Amino acid sequence: MTTPPIEHIADIAAAIGSADSVCVITGAGVSAESGLRTFRGVTGMTAEDHGSMASLWKDFDPATLATAEAFAADPERVTRWYDWRRLGCLAAEPNAAHLGLAEIERRVAARGAEFTLLTQNVDRLHQRAGSRNVVELHGTIMAWRCLRTGKEVEPEPRPFDRFPPRSPLVDDSSDPLGVLRPSVVWFGEMLPPDAVARAEAAAASCDLFLSVGTSSVVYPAAGFIQRARERGADTAEINLEPTPISRLVRWSVRAKAGAALGAVAAALGSRPGP
Ligand code: OAD
């Protein structure tokens, strides 16, 4: 049985091929095919593919895990949960969606055009796939921050031996602030200002804005497409299900990110050079 072609791939590849600046935003759906659970929405994956793939906020309450208040109330529980997720990210491999975006960036950069990848993901899979110009809007789970010094460390790729983990930057083992927290953005916290500034600049100057695998409900990330629309950029979305931006974009693609981005990268490769 042959799979039907995915809609709008040629349009998106043509827009990328002629853009002076491309801006892509990704969310948890891009990593679903690597076996990492999304926060909400469908995943298109089954337990047979990767064990439990129920979305995270179905099984866990963000208010008790993803806020500074939750960490203050129960640092052991919060850091155990983030360490469990960190180990899952380390064990995961980039999938066709990550590799497709890295390939698209190479092709765009090769003809001297700009490519910016905004991601809400904390898993670092884009960088591992070869993406270079990545803006981490929600921080990363691979770095942890010392509460005493404010500095970041990159822990070894094995589980912490105590929770909350002790900071290697603080000698005094009785210092209550000598502990680490994940360098991710929690609900109620500001996004890193330099990441927001880079994201706004990229969205406001791009000719094509592409949103992939995000439910587009968490601000300010969900608002960058508005900047691109105000500029008159072409807009596209790749998602398994409709989102609040589906009706706003020029090309709405209902498909798995891996297949769709692989097809876009292949279509770009078969286009005549500049
Ligand atoms: P969500 O979990 O909210 O949304 C994932 C989206 O990806 C959904 O719309 C799914 O339909 C879609 N999806 C799932 N599998 C897919 C696949 N294989 N191909 C294409 N699409 C797929 O994730 P985000 O939008 O990233 O923040 O969530 C944004 C933020 O909310 C996260 O960074 C996190 C969360 O709460 C914090 O923890 C602060």
Side-chain angles (χ1 to χ4, degrees):
M1 206 175 79
T2 53
T3 333
I6 303 171
E7 270 187 309
H8 306 310
I9 295 300
D11 297 319
I12 295 172
I16 292 173
S18 62
D20 289 332
S21 177
V22 175
C23 183
V24 179
I25 186 163
T26 62
V30 159
S31 295
E33 292 162 72
S34 294
L36 298 180
R37 293 162 69 172
T38 60
F39 296 94
R40 41 185 96 68
V42 300
T43 62
M45 311 295 285
T46 63
E48 284 73 47
D49 290 321
H50 282 294
S52 171
M53 283 296 286
S55 54
L56 281 170
W57 294 154
K58 262 200 186 121
D59 279 357
F60 302 98
D61 176 7
T64 66
L65 289 162
T67 63
E69 292 75 21
F71 177 68
D74 195 343
E76 174 176 345
R77 177 166 184 271
V78 169
T79 52
R80 272 189 196 282
W81 190 72
Y82 276 94
D83 199 37
W84 167 69
R85 284 188 50 211
R86 177 177 74 100
L87 297 171
C89 295
L90 282 165
E93 292 296 332
N95 67 57
H98 302 106
L99 296 169
L101 282 171
E103 177 62 20
I104 292 167
E105 178 175 7
R106 271 191 292 276
R107 291 189 181 278
V108 170
R111 58 180 179 80
E114 304 246 335
F115 183 95
T116 311
L117 177 51
L118 318 178
T119 188
Q120 298 162 90
N121 298 345
V122 297
D123 54 36
R124 287 261 161 99
L125 288 176
H126 284 306
Q127 290 91 334
R128 285 173 54 197
S131 286
R132 301 182 78 88
N133 195 22
V134 183
V135 179
E136 289 176 325
L137 292 164
H138 291 173
T140 172
I141 206 165
M142 296 305 161
W144 289 53
R145 197 159 65 235
C146 168
L147 294 197
R148 169 61 66 202
T149 64
K151 291 190 178 134
E152 285 189 348
V153 295
E154 197 139 327
E156 296 292 315
R158 52 183 154 76
F160 288 117
D161 49 14
R162 54 174 293 177
F163 297 93
R166 293 298 309 171
S167 168
L169 306 176
V170 175
D171 291 335
D172 177 0
S173 60
S174 64
D175 182 350
L177 289 181
V179 295
L180 299 174
R181 61 156 280 184
S183 248
V184 299
V185 177
W186 281 329
F187 289 103
E189 292 185 329
M190 297 231 321
L191 273 63
D194 57 325
V196 174
R198 283 173 69 195
E200 281 185 348
S205 63
C206 69
D207 305 305
L208 174 74
F209 187 95
L210 170 62
S211 171
V212 192
T214 170
S215 56
S216 295
V217 293
V218 173
Y219 278 80
F224 294 130
I225 190 164
Q226 205 48 44
R227 291 283 166 131
R229 274 164 51 88
E230 282 158 18
R231 164 180 163 76
D234 276 329
T235 50
E237 175 185 53
I238 297 170
N239 202 302
L240 279 177
E241 58 186 348
T243 74
I245 68 162
S246 301
R247 279 180 299 124
L248 302 177
V249 297
R250 179 161 185 200
W251 300 299
S252 180
V253 179
R254 200 71 64 237
K256 280 191 180 178
L261 288 167
V264 171
L268 265 182
S270 59
R271 283 169 54 83

